PDB file of all heavy atoms in Angstrom:
ATOM      1  N   LEU A  37     -18.647  -1.654  27.950  1.00 55.00           N
ATOM      2  CA  LEU A  37     -19.303  -0.781  28.919  1.00 55.00           C
ATOM      3  C   LEU A  37     -20.495  -1.476  29.571  1.00 55.00           C
ATOM      4  O   LEU A  37     -20.755  -1.312  30.761  1.00 55.00           O
ATOM      5  CB  LEU A  37     -19.738   0.525  28.259  1.00 55.00           C
ATOM      6  CG  LEU A  37     -18.612   1.457  27.824  1.00 55.00           C
ATOM      7  CD1 LEU A  37     -19.177   2.658  27.093  1.00 55.00           C
ATOM      8  CD2 LEU A  37     -17.766   1.891  29.005  1.00 55.00           C
ATOM      9  N   ALA A  38     -21.241  -2.245  28.805  1.00 57.00           N
ATOM     10  CA  ALA A  38     -22.434  -2.907  29.335  1.00 57.00           C
ATOM     11  C   ALA A  38     -22.070  -4.050  30.268  1.00 57.00           C
ATOM     12  O   ALA A  38     -22.700  -4.232  31.314  1.00 57.00           O
ATOM     13  CB  ALA A  38     -23.299  -3.416  28.193  1.00 57.00           C
ATOM     14  N   THR A  39     -21.062  -4.837  29.914  1.00 60.00           N
ATOM     15  CA  THR A  39     -20.726  -6.001  30.734  1.00 60.00           C
ATOM     16  C   THR A  39     -19.672  -5.683  31.774  1.00 60.00           C
ATOM     17  O   THR A  39     -19.567  -6.366  32.789  1.00 60.00           O
ATOM     18  CB  THR A  39     -20.221  -7.165  29.854  1.00 60.00           C
ATOM     19  OG1 THR A  39     -19.049  -6.730  29.167  1.00 60.00           O
ATOM     20  CG2 THR A  39     -21.276  -7.608  28.873  1.00 60.00           C
ATOM     21  N   GLY A  40     -18.846  -4.671  31.496  1.00 58.00           N
ATOM     22  CA  GLY A  40     -17.798  -4.305  32.446  1.00 58.00           C
ATOM     23  C   GLY A  40     -16.612  -5.246  32.410  1.00 58.00           C
ATOM     24  O   GLY A  40     -15.793  -5.268  33.321  1.00 58.00           O
ATOM     25  N   THR A  41     -16.491  -6.061  31.366  1.00 53.00           N
ATOM     26  CA  THR A  41     -15.377  -6.998  31.269  1.00 53.00           C
ATOM     27  C   THR A  41     -14.670  -6.822  29.932  1.00 53.00           C
ATOM     28  O   THR A  41     -15.234  -6.316  28.972  1.00 53.00           O
ATOM     29  CB  THR A  41     -15.856  -8.462  31.371  1.00 53.00           C
ATOM     30  OG1 THR A  41     -16.781  -8.704  30.313  1.00 53.00           O
ATOM     31  CG2 THR A  41     -16.503  -8.730  32.701  1.00 53.00           C
ATOM     32  N   THR A  42     -13.435  -7.237  29.898  1.00 55.00           N
ATOM     33  CA  THR A  42     -12.668  -7.240  28.659  1.00 55.00           C
ATOM     34  C   THR A  42     -12.069  -8.627  28.463  1.00 55.00           C
ATOM     35  O   THR A  42     -12.019  -9.432  29.394  1.00 55.00           O
ATOM     36  CB  THR A  42     -11.525  -6.195  28.701  1.00 55.00           C
ATOM     37  OG1 THR A  42     -10.679  -6.498  29.815  1.00 55.00           O
ATOM     38  CG2 THR A  42     -12.066  -4.795  28.836  1.00 55.00           C
ATOM     39  N   VAL A  43     -11.598  -8.898  27.278  1.00 57.00           N
ATOM     40  CA  VAL A  43     -10.992 -10.190  26.966  1.00 57.00           C
ATOM     41  C   VAL A  43      -9.497 -10.077  27.181  1.00 57.00           C
ATOM     42  O   VAL A  43      -8.850  -9.161  26.679  1.00 57.00           O
ATOM     43  CB  VAL A  43     -11.294 -10.584  25.502  1.00 57.00           C
ATOM     44  CG1 VAL A  43     -10.604 -11.890  25.151  1.00 57.00           C
ATOM     45  CG2 VAL A  43     -12.785 -10.683  25.285  1.00 57.00           C
ATOM     46  N   THR A  44      -8.925 -11.000  27.936  1.00 63.00           N
ATOM     47  CA  THR A  44      -7.488 -10.993  28.168  1.00 63.00           C
ATOM     48  C   THR A  44      -6.772 -11.673  27.008  1.00 63.00           C
ATOM     49  O   THR A  44      -7.400 -12.347  26.185  1.00 63.00           O
ATOM     50  CB  THR A  44      -7.140 -11.730  29.479  1.00 63.00           C
ATOM     51  OG1 THR A  44      -7.511 -13.100  29.334  1.00 63.00           O
ATOM     52  CG2 THR A  44      -7.852 -11.099  30.670  1.00 63.00           C
ATOM     53  N   ALA A  45      -5.462 -11.516  26.970  1.00 57.00           N
ATOM     54  CA  ALA A  45      -4.672 -12.120  25.895  1.00 57.00           C
ATOM     55  C   ALA A  45      -4.758 -13.640  25.934  1.00 57.00           C
ATOM     56  O   ALA A  45      -4.798 -14.298  24.904  1.00 57.00           O
ATOM     57  CB  ALA A  45      -3.231 -11.664  25.998  1.00 57.00           C
ATOM     58  N   GLN A  46      -4.785 -14.212  27.135  1.00 58.00           N
ATOM     59  CA  GLN A  46      -4.860 -15.667  27.243  1.00 58.00           C
ATOM     60  C   GLN A  46      -6.206 -16.171  26.730  1.00 58.00           C
ATOM     61  O   GLN A  46      -6.276 -17.169  26.016  1.00 58.00           O
ATOM     62  CB  GLN A  46      -4.652 -16.105  28.681  1.00 58.00           C
ATOM     63  CG  GLN A  46      -4.624 -17.619  28.840  1.00 58.00           C
ATOM     64  CD  GLN A  46      -4.291 -18.046  30.257  1.00 58.00           C
ATOM     65  OE1 GLN A  46      -4.017 -17.213  31.094  1.00 58.00           O
ATOM     66  NE2 GLN A  46      -4.318 -19.349  30.499  1.00 58.00           N
ATOM     67  N   GLU A  47      -7.282 -15.469  27.084  1.00 62.00           N
ATOM     68  CA  GLU A  47      -8.589 -15.865  26.582  1.00 62.00           C
ATOM     69  C   GLU A  47      -8.643 -15.739  25.069  1.00 62.00           C
ATOM     70  O   GLU A  47      -9.273 -16.548  24.391  1.00 62.00           O
ATOM     71  CB  GLU A  47      -9.681 -15.004  27.224  1.00 62.00           C
ATOM     72  CG  GLU A  47      -9.882 -15.260  28.701  1.00 62.00           C
ATOM     73  CD  GLU A  47     -10.800 -14.244  29.338  1.00 62.00           C
ATOM     74  OE1 GLU A  47     -11.030 -13.179  28.726  1.00 62.00           O
ATOM     75  OE2 GLU A  47     -11.288 -14.497  30.439  1.00 62.00           O
ATOM     76  N   MET A  48      -7.988 -14.710  24.528  1.00 56.00           N
ATOM     77  CA  MET A  48      -7.973 -14.499  23.088  1.00 56.00           C
ATOM     78  C   MET A  48      -7.250 -15.646  22.394  1.00 56.00           C
ATOM     79  O   MET A  48      -7.687 -16.120  21.354  1.00 56.00           O
ATOM     80  CB  MET A  48      -7.288 -13.173  22.755  1.00 56.00           C
ATOM     81  CG  MET A  48      -7.296 -12.863  21.286  1.00 56.00           C
ATOM     82  SD  MET A  48      -8.926 -12.412  20.719  1.00 56.00           S
ATOM     83  CE  MET A  48      -8.672 -10.692  20.512  1.00 56.00           C
ATOM     84  N   SER A  49      -6.146 -16.132  22.977  1.00 56.00           N
ATOM     85  CA  SER A  49      -5.398 -17.222  22.347  1.00 56.00           C
ATOM     86  C   SER A  49      -6.155 -18.545  22.425  1.00 56.00           C
ATOM     87  O   SER A  49      -5.888 -19.453  21.655  1.00 56.00           O
ATOM     88  CB  SER A  49      -4.021 -17.363  22.988  1.00 56.00           C
ATOM     89  OG  SER A  49      -4.152 -17.772  24.336  1.00 56.00           O
ATOM     90  N   GLU A  50      -7.084 -18.663  23.384  1.00 62.00           N
ATOM     91  CA  GLU A  50      -7.861 -19.884  23.512  1.00 62.00           C
ATOM     92  C   GLU A  50      -9.065 -19.915  22.578  1.00 62.00           C
ATOM     93  O   GLU A  50      -9.721 -20.932  22.453  1.00 62.00           O
ATOM     94  CB  GLU A  50      -8.322 -20.047  24.957  1.00 62.00           C
ATOM     95  CG  GLU A  50      -7.181 -20.282  25.929  1.00 62.00           C
ATOM     96  CD  GLU A  50      -7.618 -20.225  27.381  1.00 62.00           C
ATOM     97  OE1 GLU A  50      -8.810 -19.959  27.644  1.00 62.00           O
ATOM     98  OE2 GLU A  50      -6.773 -20.447  28.254  1.00 62.00           O
ATOM     99  N   MET A  51      -9.349 -18.808  21.918  1.00 60.00           N
ATOM    100  CA  MET A  51     -10.498 -18.742  21.026  1.00 60.00           C
ATOM    101  C   MET A  51     -10.242 -19.590  19.780  1.00 60.00           C
ATOM    102  O   MET A  51      -9.123 -19.624  19.271  1.00 60.00           O
ATOM    103  CB  MET A  51     -10.787 -17.301  20.607  1.00 60.00           C
ATOM    104  CG  MET A  51     -11.310 -16.452  21.707  1.00 60.00           C
ATOM    105  SD  MET A  51     -11.725 -14.838  21.050  1.00 60.00           S
ATOM    106  CE  MET A  51     -12.429 -14.095  22.487  1.00 60.00           C
ATOM    107  N   PRO A  52     -11.271 -20.275  19.293  1.00 65.00           N
ATOM    108  CA  PRO A  52     -11.073 -21.081  18.078  1.00 65.00           C
ATOM    109  C   PRO A  52     -10.804 -20.173  16.877  1.00 65.00           C
ATOM    110  O   PRO A  52     -11.377 -19.097  16.748  1.00 65.00           O
ATOM    111  CB  PRO A  52     -12.398 -21.833  17.928  1.00 65.00           C
ATOM    112  CG  PRO A  52     -13.392 -21.068  18.734  1.00 65.00           C
ATOM    113  CD  PRO A  52     -12.616 -20.360  19.814  1.00 65.00           C
ATOM    114  N   GLY A  53      -9.907 -20.603  16.023  1.00 62.00           N
ATOM    115  CA  GLY A  53      -9.597 -19.848  14.822  1.00 62.00           C
ATOM    116  C   GLY A  53      -8.548 -18.771  15.030  1.00 62.00           C
ATOM    117  O   GLY A  53      -8.127 -18.118  14.096  1.00 62.00           O
ATOM    118  N   HIS A  54      -8.093 -18.571  16.263  1.00 56.00           N
ATOM    119  CA  HIS A  54      -7.075 -17.553  16.533  1.00 56.00           C
ATOM    120  C   HIS A  54      -5.729 -18.239  16.688  1.00 56.00           C
ATOM    121  O   HIS A  54      -5.591 -19.192  17.456  1.00 56.00           O
ATOM    122  CB  HIS A  54      -7.415 -16.778  17.814  1.00 56.00           C
ATOM    123  CG  HIS A  54      -6.411 -15.718  18.138  1.00 56.00           C
ATOM    124  ND1 HIS A  54      -5.337 -15.954  18.943  1.00 56.00           N
ATOM    125  CD2 HIS A  54      -6.329 -14.424  17.744  1.00 56.00           C
ATOM    126  CE1 HIS A  54      -4.618 -14.848  19.047  1.00 56.00           C
ATOM    127  NE2 HIS A  54      -5.199 -13.910  18.323  1.00 56.00           N
ATOM    128  N   GLN A  55      -4.737 -17.759  15.951  1.00 59.00           N
ATOM    129  CA  GLN A  55      -3.409 -18.346  16.033  1.00 59.00           C
ATOM    130  C   GLN A  55      -2.542 -17.495  16.944  1.00 59.00           C
ATOM    131  O   GLN A  55      -2.413 -16.289  16.743  1.00 59.00           O
ATOM    132  CB  GLN A  55      -2.756 -18.414  14.662  1.00 59.00           C
ATOM    133  CG  GLN A  55      -3.481 -19.334  13.695  1.00 59.00           C
ATOM    134  CD  GLN A  55      -2.839 -19.318  12.321  1.00 59.00           C
ATOM    135  OE1 GLN A  55      -1.998 -18.483  12.038  1.00 59.00           O
ATOM    136  NE2 GLN A  55      -3.232 -20.244  11.480  1.00 59.00           N
ATOM    137  N   ALA A  56      -1.955 -18.116  17.949  1.00 59.00           N
ATOM    138  CA  ALA A  56      -1.077 -17.394  18.862  1.00 59.00           C
ATOM    139  C   ALA A  56       0.233 -17.037  18.166  1.00 59.00           C
ATOM    140  O   ALA A  56       0.763 -15.950  18.336  1.00 59.00           O
ATOM    141  CB  ALA A  56      -0.807 -18.226  20.106  1.00 59.00           C
ATOM    142  N   ASN A  57       0.766 -17.947  17.366  1.00 61.00           N
ATOM    143  CA  ASN A  57       2.019 -17.715  16.652  1.00 61.00           C
ATOM    144  C   ASN A  57       1.724 -17.531  15.169  1.00 61.00           C
ATOM    145  O   ASN A  57       0.955 -18.290  14.592  1.00 61.00           O
ATOM    146  CB  ASN A  57       2.974 -18.906  16.838  1.00 61.00           C
ATOM    147  CG  ASN A  57       3.369 -19.066  18.286  1.00 61.00           C
ATOM    148  OD1 ASN A  57       3.460 -18.101  19.035  1.00 61.00           O
ATOM    149  ND2 ASN A  57       3.607 -20.309  18.699  1.00 61.00           N
ATOM    150  N   PRO A  58       2.343 -16.559  14.534  1.00 58.00           N
ATOM    151  CA  PRO A  58       2.130 -16.410  13.091  1.00 58.00           C
ATOM    152  C   PRO A  58       2.721 -17.589  12.340  1.00 58.00           C
ATOM    153  O   PRO A  58       3.531 -18.340  12.862  1.00 58.00           O
ATOM    154  CB  PRO A  58       2.860 -15.106  12.754  1.00 58.00           C
ATOM    155  CG  PRO A  58       3.822 -14.888  13.857  1.00 58.00           C
ATOM    156  CD  PRO A  58       3.249 -15.563  15.074  1.00 58.00           C
ATOM    157  N   SER A  59       2.321 -17.729  11.098  1.00 68.00           N
ATOM    158  CA  SER A  59       2.797 -18.858  10.302  1.00 68.00           C
ATOM    159  C   SER A  59       4.321 -18.808  10.167  1.00 68.00           C
ATOM    160  O   SER A  59       4.908 -17.736  10.111  1.00 68.00           O
ATOM    161  CB  SER A  59       2.138 -18.849   8.926  1.00 68.00           C
ATOM    162  OG  SER A  59       2.537 -17.706   8.215  1.00 68.00           O
ATOM    163  N   PRO A  60       4.969 -19.960  10.119  1.00 74.00           N
ATOM    164  CA  PRO A  60       6.437 -19.975  10.050  1.00 74.00           C
ATOM    165  C   PRO A  60       6.982 -19.426   8.731  1.00 74.00           C
ATOM    166  O   PRO A  60       8.157 -19.118   8.638  1.00 74.00           O
ATOM    167  CB  PRO A  60       6.788 -21.454  10.226  1.00 74.00           C
ATOM    168  CG  PRO A  60       5.554 -22.198   9.848  1.00 74.00           C
ATOM    169  CD  PRO A  60       4.408 -21.293  10.167  1.00 74.00           C
ATOM    170  N   GLY A  61       6.147 -19.291   7.707  1.00 84.00           N
ATOM    171  CA  GLY A  61       6.613 -18.773   6.430  1.00 84.00           C
ATOM    172  C   GLY A  61       6.880 -17.277   6.448  1.00 84.00           C
ATOM    173  O   GLY A  61       7.623 -16.764   5.630  1.00 84.00           O
ATOM    174  N   LEU A  62       6.283 -16.575   7.402  1.00 88.00           N
ATOM    175  CA  LEU A  62       6.478 -15.128   7.497  1.00 88.00           C
ATOM    176  C   LEU A  62       7.380 -14.817   8.681  1.00 88.00           C
ATOM    177  O   LEU A  62       7.081 -15.170   9.815  1.00 88.00           O
ATOM    178  CB  LEU A  62       5.133 -14.415   7.674  1.00 88.00           C
ATOM    179  CG  LEU A  62       4.103 -14.641   6.578  1.00 88.00           C
ATOM    180  CD1 LEU A  62       2.795 -13.970   6.951  1.00 88.00           C
ATOM    181  CD2 LEU A  62       4.611 -14.099   5.264  1.00 88.00           C
ATOM    182  N   GLN A  63       8.486 -14.157   8.401  1.00 88.00           N
ATOM    183  CA  GLN A  63       9.417 -13.812   9.458  1.00 88.00           C
ATOM    184  C   GLN A  63       9.746 -12.333   9.380  1.00 88.00           C
ATOM    185  O   GLN A  63       9.822 -11.765   8.288  1.00 88.00           O
ATOM    186  CB  GLN A  63      10.698 -14.620   9.327  1.00 88.00           C
ATOM    187  CG  GLN A  63      10.492 -16.113   9.495  1.00 88.00           C
ATOM    188  CD  GLN A  63      11.784 -16.882   9.294  1.00 88.00           C
ATOM    189  OE1 GLN A  63      12.833 -16.299   9.060  1.00 88.00           O
ATOM    190  NE2 GLN A  63      11.696 -18.194   9.382  1.00 88.00           N
ATOM    191  N   LYS A  64       9.933 -11.728  10.520  1.00 88.00           N
ATOM    192  CA  LYS A  64      10.316 -10.321  10.557  1.00 88.00           C
ATOM    193  C   LYS A  64      11.793 -10.212  10.190  1.00 88.00           C
ATOM    194  O   LYS A  64      12.626 -10.938  10.724  1.00 88.00           O
ATOM    195  CB  LYS A  64      10.078  -9.754  11.955  1.00 88.00           C
ATOM    196  CG  LYS A  64      10.359  -8.283  12.046  1.00 88.00           C
ATOM    197  CD  LYS A  64      10.011  -7.752  13.430  1.00 88.00           C
ATOM    198  CE  LYS A  64      10.301  -6.277  13.489  1.00 88.00           C
ATOM    199  NZ  LYS A  64       9.964  -5.703  14.797  1.00 88.00           N
ATOM    200  N   ILE A  65      12.084  -9.299   9.262  1.00 90.00           N
ATOM    201  CA  ILE A  65      13.462  -9.080   8.832  1.00 90.00           C
ATOM    202  C   ILE A  65      13.887  -7.711   9.345  1.00 90.00           C
ATOM    203  O   ILE A  65      13.285  -6.693   8.992  1.00 90.00           O
ATOM    204  CB  ILE A  65      13.594  -9.129   7.300  1.00 90.00           C
ATOM    205  CG1 ILE A  65      13.155 -10.498   6.784  1.00 90.00           C
ATOM    206  CG2 ILE A  65      15.021  -8.811   6.874  1.00 90.00           C
ATOM    207  CD1 ILE A  65      13.102 -10.588   5.276  1.00 90.00           C
ATOM    208  N   GLU A  66      14.895  -7.692  10.169  1.00 93.00           N
ATOM    209  CA  GLU A  66      15.401  -6.437  10.713  1.00 93.00           C
ATOM    210  C   GLU A  66      16.266  -5.763   9.649  1.00 93.00           C
ATOM    211  O   GLU A  66      17.201  -6.371   9.134  1.00 93.00           O
ATOM    212  CB  GLU A  66      16.209  -6.694  11.974  1.00 93.00           C
ATOM    213  CG  GLU A  66      16.637  -5.451  12.709  1.00 93.00           C
ATOM    214  CD  GLU A  66      15.466  -4.635  13.235  1.00 93.00           C
ATOM    215  OE1 GLU A  66      14.426  -5.223  13.574  1.00 93.00           O
ATOM    216  OE2 GLU A  66      15.594  -3.403  13.301  1.00 93.00           O
TER     217      GLU A  66
END
Side-chain angles (χ1 to χ4, degrees):
L37 292 176
T39 61
T41 59
T42 58
V43 177
T44 64
Q46 184 175 356
E47 291 171 344
M48 183 72 107
S49 66
E50 294 171 358
M51 290 185 175
H54 180 268
Q55 296 177 349
N57 297 328
S59 65
L62 301 175
Q63 296 177 2
K64 184 176 180 179
I65 300 173
E66 187 63 31

